[in-house]
Amino acid sequence: MDIPFTQYQPPKALASGFWQQIGLPARGRKLHELLHQGVEYQVYPRLAKVSGIEQKALARYVDIPSATLSRRAKSGRFKMVESDRLYRFAELFKAALDLFEGDTEGARAWLLKPNMGLGGRRPIEMSATSAEYQTVLNLIGRLEHGVSA
């Protein structure tokens, strides 16, 4: 049986508050510019707090070594590649949050649990590369539309 490809589309109702809390625009030119210039360091602890993921663990999931993280805390800004990884993680967390209709604990638990639809990998471990990130978003899209993963 072929599983139809469903692109994840975030619901509009839940979108605004999350992005405001972490200090990033959700989409558009302003986001693109911020990612290119590097997001401010403050986005990182906010993202950790909103997601309920410890900061050291978040650094591992987005593949930012602790020494690099210390340098970024001093400089106040992440590099473009690191900013993109942080955004991908935020987008994955937001997608899971939408899947669980705003239930932060449910979203976090789902991200931390090995998933058969991802070959037994945990979704939270799949934000460091764009291919893995897209795989998780596609899975969320299928789950939202009732297509078995």
Side-chain angles (χ1 to χ4, degrees), residues 16-67:
S16 63
F18 173 81
W19 295 108
Q20 289 172 347
Q21 286 179 41
I22 64 170
L24 286 177
R27 305 232 181 292
R29 175 183 275 176
K30 193 170 187 176
L31 171 66
H32 304 161
E33 290 169 358
L34 279 172
L35 292 176
H36 276 275
Q37 71 187 30
V39 300
E40 292 182 5
Y41 180 81
Q42 298 127 332
V43 168
Y44 173 74
R46 288 180 196 150
L47 181 56
K49 182 178 180 181
V50 168
S51 66
I53 304 295
E54 180 185 301
Q55 288 189 34
K56 286 183 181 182
L58 178 56
R60 277 194 320 272
Y61 297 135
V62 296
D63 196 27
I64 299 176
S66 59

Side-chain angles (χ1 to χ4, degrees), residues 1-148:
M1 179 176 131
D2 287 332
I3 297 174
F5 175 79
T6 304
Q7 185 72 20
Y8 170 75
Q9 295 296 321
K12 302 265 190 268
L14 299 174
S16 63
F18 173 81
W19 295 108
Q20 289 172 347
Q21 286 179 41
I22 64 170
L24 286 177
R27 305 232 181 292
R29 175 183 275 176
K30 193 170 187 176
L31 171 66
H32 304 161
E33 290 169 358
L34 279 172
L35 292 176
H36 276 275
Q37 71 187 30
V39 300
E40 292 182 5
Y41 180 81
Q42 298 127 332
V43 168
Y44 173 74
R46 288 180 196 150
L47 181 56
K49 182 178 180 181
V50 168
S51 66
I53 304 295
E54 180 185 301
Q55 288 189 34
K56 286 183 181 182
L58 178 56
R60 277 194 320 272
Y61 297 135
V62 296
D63 196 27
I64 299 176
S66 59
T68 301
L69 196 57
S70 294
R71 285 194 305 274
R72 300 305 175 250
K74 289 177 186 169
S75 72
R77 190 169 296 280
F78 286 96
K79 302 261 182 193
M80 181 174 64
V81 171
E82 299 153 351
S83 297
D84 189 48
R85 286 190 215 131
L86 286 169
Y87 176 76
R88 281 195 303 254
F89 178 86
E91 185 76 20
L92 282 185
F93 186 79
K94 178 66 174 84
L97 192 60
D98 291 342
L99 178 65
F100 285 86
E101 298 179 347
D103 176 7
T104 302
E105 196 57 44
R108 184 175 40 256
W110 185 83
L111 286 169
L112 291 168
K113 184 179 176 188
N115 190 295
M116 294 303 294
L118 301 172
R121 292 190 63 199
R122 298 183 318 154
I124 201 164
E125 298 170 338
M126 299 180 70
S127 64
T129 71
S130 57
E132 292 172 322
Y133 153 83
Q134 194 60 56
T135 298
V136 178
L137 287 183
N138 291 341
L139 173 61
I140 289 171
R142 291 194 312 268
L143 292 171
E144 285 184 327
H145 291 90
V147 179
S148 58

